[in-house]
Amino acid sequence: MKIKTKEDYVKSLKKQNVLIYYNGKKIEDRTTFPAFVPHINSAAKTYELALMPEHEDLLTAKSNLTGKKISRFTHIHQSVDDLIKKVQMLRLVAHETASCFQRCVGFDAINALYMTTYEMDEKKGTKYFSRFLEYLKKLQEENFMLVGGMTDPKGDRSKRPSQQSDPDLFTRVVEKRADGVIIRGAKAHQTGAVNSHEIMIMPTQAMAEGDEAYAIVAAIPLDAKGVTLIFGRQTNEERKFECGIDAGNCEFGMVGGEALVVFEDVFVPWERVFMCGEIDFTGILVERFATLHRQNYGGCKGGVSDIIIGASALAAQYQGTLNASHIKDKLVEMLHLAETVYSGSVACSALGSRTKSGAYYPDPLLANCTKHNITRNIYEISRLAHDIGGGIIATLPFDKDLRSPEIGKYVEKYMKGVEGVSTETRMKILRLLENMTGGTALVESMHGAGSPQSQRIMYQRLGKLNEKMKMAKKIARIKE
Amino acid sequence: MRQRKRVALKYCGGCNPGYDRVAFFRRIREIAGDSIEWVTVEEPGFEALLLIQGCQTACPERTLGCVESGPIVSIRDDEEDPGDVVKRLLREREK
């Protein structure tokens, strides 16, 4: 299996027999199921763009392991330039899909593991790094899609994994065997899971003594025995089945097609295990994955925001308000917010540094700042989009009403905006705005790559408050 | 009869371009006609390099550094006349 084109990608997904449930029913062919196809199309863009001369500079890279040209989504960052290109790539793909294209989570997982397994071996004499390199070479060669599986269901948040009344609420090793381990538990909100090939499970948080069974990193094919996927419900998702104007963005997803991935005593051979019991490396692994993932958001959400801004401007143009000064001012504010989040991603990349493994890592404080801004700015961008678009975003008639022989003429007549723009065109833009600015799409901006509180904890840790107090004392000439 | 000049084409990645880079290149290619043989930067022996970049940041200029021979024509917007771009590409190497 070597995946280059969209066709290769879809064919490879078809070959895997993955157990997926949607709305209580088992899905036989994930590649043709209407709820999954938009997510497949989004991820497929990462393959398609890599083959285009005008985009290959961002979508491909030279492997530090083999020297071959590979998908950037399987690359280990070798420089600050690589970190910046990652962000630029994410903005570009978002322009093509107006949605999440899912491959960054696996990308961030391999980079976090590259650095961390190297340091684990250095300190503990383990063999995880060399084992991981073999896996990475296979990933780069075959270019399959990997889910970065971090978030556990977590049960009672006030208790540690080993203190839970149900020990499976955090993914764990239930048995160690001569040939591998047996895994039980689940990973929640798994972006791209239904259209991926494998999942890399990682600990969800720093583990303490007693939690050793939960310090597990392993690569698991999604068609492995015991793996079940349950697709998450999304706002207005049934509109994707109609594939008309009401879907807003019919071809691509709204978010990343998140699913609950359940592991019911899944066997994983040792060559696919990259951490097993090393609790002292769980914290740094989680922090690195989180930082690498938070780095992304000004890229992808900046790109998605560009589409929202464009759609807002078109909505205003179609109803004759584009030249109103307050509309122009709101569009300017949206541009400011979008470029602010993008700046954060570029900044944390530009201040990235080399780790012991040779891989480059973004500045963690600035990466956290970037993601924290996303939890606010995307809501504000969406609020402004609703302001510009008007109440019609919430009350627009159905696509079928427009096409009805009885009432279509009324929709055509009364939903019309300016001369020269059809009612259908206006409806398309309003539905796109609705699709991108409400419900699931907004919540994803809030909680994807960690909830706001997780970033505020990082501010406390990395914000150098004591140094700031010293600086203030110096300026105020305080000696005590 | 003069041989066609081998010119390498390199696009930036196109993260947020200010114009249609591919359309702009097509205009250049059309004007150049048979006078230029277009190759990629991976192919050896090109005599000039055309960089088509989407904005003033011009990332490939930073990463490519220099080429072995011939002029580098760097495009950052679509203000320039494509005909002038062709003339610059076909100009003999200045001593």
Side-chain angles (χ1 to χ4, degrees), chain A residues 53-55 57-58 81 85 88 91-92 95 342, chain B residues 10-16 21-22 59 62-63:
Chain A
E54 64 268 35
H55 296 305
D57 200 49
L58 292 179
D81 195 55
K85 278 187 171 171
Q88 292 176 312
R91 190 168 187 174
L92 159 66
H95 286 167
Y342 185 63
Chain B
K10 171 77 179 168
Y11 287 104
C12 72
C15 66
N16 198 20
R21 295 165 304 140
V22 177
C59 295
R62 190 178 68 234
T63 51

Side-chain angles (χ1 to χ4, degrees), chain A residues 153-179:
Chain A
K154 295 201 274 285
D156 181 346
R157 269 70 169 167
S158 69
K159 292 179 177 168
R160 300 205 59 76
S162 54
Q163 295 168 338
Q164 298 285 328
S165 55
D166 181 346
D168 301 339
L169 289 171
F170 286 75
T171 305
R172 65 186 180 124
V173 175
V174 290
E175 189 187 344
K176 281 187 195 175
R177 297 181 357 192
D179 52 351

Side-chain angles (χ1 to χ4, degrees), chain B residues 17-56:
Chain B
Y19 65 102
D20 186 336
R21 295 165 304 140
V22 177
F24 190 71
F25 169 67
R26 283 186 186 137
R27 287 166 62 200
I28 293 169
R29 189 177 59 189
E30 197 181 320
I31 292 166
D34 286 340
S35 61
I36 291 177
E37 179 190 355
W38 296 101
V39 296
T40 67
V41 285
E42 282 87 28
E43 294 170 72
F46 55 84
E47 300 162 84
L49 173 64
L50 174 63
L51 298 178
I52 302 271
Q53 301 154 124
C55 71
Q56 298 299 322

Side-chain angles (χ1 to χ4, degrees), chain A residues 91 298 301-302 305-306 309 328-344 373-374 377-378 380-381 384:
Chain A
R91 190 168 187 174
K301 297 296 179 201
S305 296
D306 290 333
I309 295 165
K328 284 182 188 166
D329 191 51
K330 281 161 192 161
L331 288 167
V332 165
E333 179 66 12
M334 292 166 87
L335 290 164
H336 162 70
L337 294 166
E339 297 303 338
T340 297
V341 295
Y342 185 63
S343 307
N373 277 334
I374 292 291
N377 287 13
I378 301 303
E380 182 62 9
I381 287 169
L384 289 165

Side-chain angles (χ1 to χ4, degrees), chain A residues 288-303:
Chain A
R288 280 175 171 164
F289 174 77
T291 293
L292 285 155
H293 205 44
R294 288 168 195 171
Q295 173 205 8
N296 301 344
Y297 269 65
C300 62
K301 297 296 179 201

Side-chain angles (χ1 to χ4, degrees), chain A residues 5-269:
Chain A
T5 63
K6 178 181 180 180
E7 290 69 33
D8 295 340
Y9 168 55
V10 173
K11 206 195 275 181
S12 67
L13 290 177
K14 212 181 262 288
K15 272 186 190 167
Q16 265 193 324
N17 188 19
V18 178
L19 183 58
I20 309 174
Y21 282 84
Y22 179 92
N23 195 13
K25 287 185 185 144
K26 190 178 155 188
I27 302 305
E28 295 302 331
D29 183 357
R30 60 176 167 163
T31 65
T32 54
F33 188 61
F36 303 162
V37 169
H39 301 296
I40 290 171
N41 289 341
S42 298
K45 270 286 166 202
T46 67
Y47 295 99
E48 292 177 298
L49 293 170
L51 298 173
M52 298 168 77
E54 64 268 35
H55 296 305
E56 66 172 0
D57 200 49
L58 292 179
L59 269 292
T60 64
K62 186 178 171 185
S63 168
N64 65 309
L65 303 178
T66 62
K68 290 181 184 168
K69 189 174 176 180
I70 55 168
S71 163
R72 186 172 294 281
F73 284 101
T74 67
H75 182 53
I76 302 299
H77 314 301
Q78 297 298 303
S79 62
V80 162
D81 195 55
D82 271 347
L83 290 173
I84 293 173
K85 278 187 171 171
K86 175 196 189 192
V87 173
Q88 292 176 312
M89 169 180 74
L90 299 178
R91 190 168 187 174
L92 159 66
V93 189
H95 286 167
E96 296 288 324
T97 61
S99 85
C100 173
F101 34 91
Q102 315 140 31
R103 281 186 84 187
C104 61
V105 270
F107 187 14
D108 297 330
I110 58 168
N111 273 276
L113 282 170
Y114 190 92
M115 301 164 196
T116 310
T117 53
Y118 181 90
E119 290 167 23
M120 236 190 317
D121 285 5
E122 191 183 58
K123 187 177 172 191
K124 294 180 167 286
T126 47
K127 301 285 180 205
Y128 293 125
F129 184 65
S130 50
R131 198 184 275 177
F132 178 70
L133 290 187
E134 289 310 307
Y135 180 80
L136 186 58
K137 279 182 203 163
K138 179 179 150 72
L139 174 67
Q140 291 183 344
E141 180 64 23
E142 296 183 5
N143 200 14
F144 57 83
M145 191 162 148
L146 178 69
V147 184
M150 180 155 279
T151 310
D152 285 332
K154 295 201 274 285
D156 181 346
R157 269 70 169 167
S158 69
K159 292 179 177 168
R160 300 205 59 76
S162 54
Q163 295 168 338
Q164 298 285 328
S165 55
D166 181 346
D168 301 339
L169 289 171
F170 286 75
T171 305
R172 65 186 180 124
V173 175
V174 290
E175 189 187 344
K176 281 187 195 175
R177 297 181 357 192
D179 52 351
V181 293
I182 304 291
I183 305 288
R184 192 185 300 158
K187 292 288 176 187
H189 332 299
Q190 291 306 292
T191 295
V194 296
N195 50 294
S196 287
H197 304 90
E198 299 205 1
I199 183 168
M200 182 70 77
I201 59 163
M202 297 171 282
T204 197
Q205 63 186 45
M207 299 293 169
E209 220 175 301
D211 295 333
E212 285 79 3
Y214 299 90
I216 177 71
V217 176
I220 304 172
L222 286 162
D223 61 350
K225 193 179 171 214
V227 177
T228 304
L229 276 63
I230 303 166
F231 194 75
R233 185 144 213 198
Q234 301 168 359
T235 313
N236 299 331
E237 82 281 78
E238 285 173 356
R239 296 187 192 180
K240 296 283 185 189
F241 288 72
E242 299 164 16
C243 206
I245 290 176
D246 293 349
N249 179 3
C250 185
E251 191 176 352
F252 303 106
M254 175 195 295
V255 283
E258 283 69 19
L260 177 70
V261 182
V262 179
F263 306 97
E264 188 66 39
D265 294 345
V266 177
F267 172 72
V268 185

